Amino acid sequence: MPRITQPIASDWPHDVELAVATFGNRARTEIIRYLLENGPNARGEIVANVGASEASVAKHLILLEEAGAVSADVEPGRRHGRAPRYSVNPERVKALLDAQLRYLTEPTR
């Protein structure tokens, strides 16, 4: 099977890059879906319910937060000793998906 590499089109819009990185991963998709259905939750609850390891969920939450798809009730620099609760930002999820859909369905000229 051939190895997947970076596409030739290196000028993807930023939101398209984020959408592909965010929604092209099953764990991140399941984390978003779990939070959407269950409301804000701490990382331990997410781990217990999405079938991924603590380290994996931690990594995915960082990426989801950087993309704006999820947010936490404690700022990143203030989390030492605290367990933030994560929630989905549905408007940002829709904006990222819309950006990807436009890129895939609308010709650029």
Side-chain angles (χ1 to χ4, degrees):
M1 176 180 268
R3 196 175 125 207
I4 297 174
T5 60
Q6 293 292 328
I8 295 171
S10 60
D11 59 345
W12 282 6
H14 181 67
D15 278 358
V16 173
E17 285 280 356
L18 284 175
V20 170
T22 301
F23 308 118
N25 180 285
R26 286 181 184 220
R28 287 192 279 276
T29 300
E30 286 305 310
I31 290 169
I32 290 169
R33 189 70 189 172
Y34 173 76
L35 290 172
L36 186 65
E37 291 176 350
N38 297 283
N41 266 281
R43 185 171 65 203
E45 287 297 315
I46 298 167
V47 169
N49 288 283
V50 300
S53 71
E54 176 84 23
S56 176
V57 169
K59 177 185 78 166
H60 292 306
L61 285 170
I62 289 169
L63 294 170
L64 288 168
E65 216 174 344
E66 288 173 351
V70 301
S71 59
D73 63 353
V74 180
E75 296 174 35
R78 300 179 163 259
R79 293 184 185 163
H80 185 68
R82 295 181 173 172
R85 294 176 62 78
Y86 295 89
S87 57
V88 174
N89 180 349
E91 295 80 23
R92 181 63 176 151
V93 170
K94 289 176 185 174
L96 290 171
L97 289 170
D98 286 345
Q100 186 175 13
L101 184 60
R102 278 191 310 277
Y103 182 79
L104 292 171
T105 61
E106 296 175 10
T108 57
R109 296 189 203 255

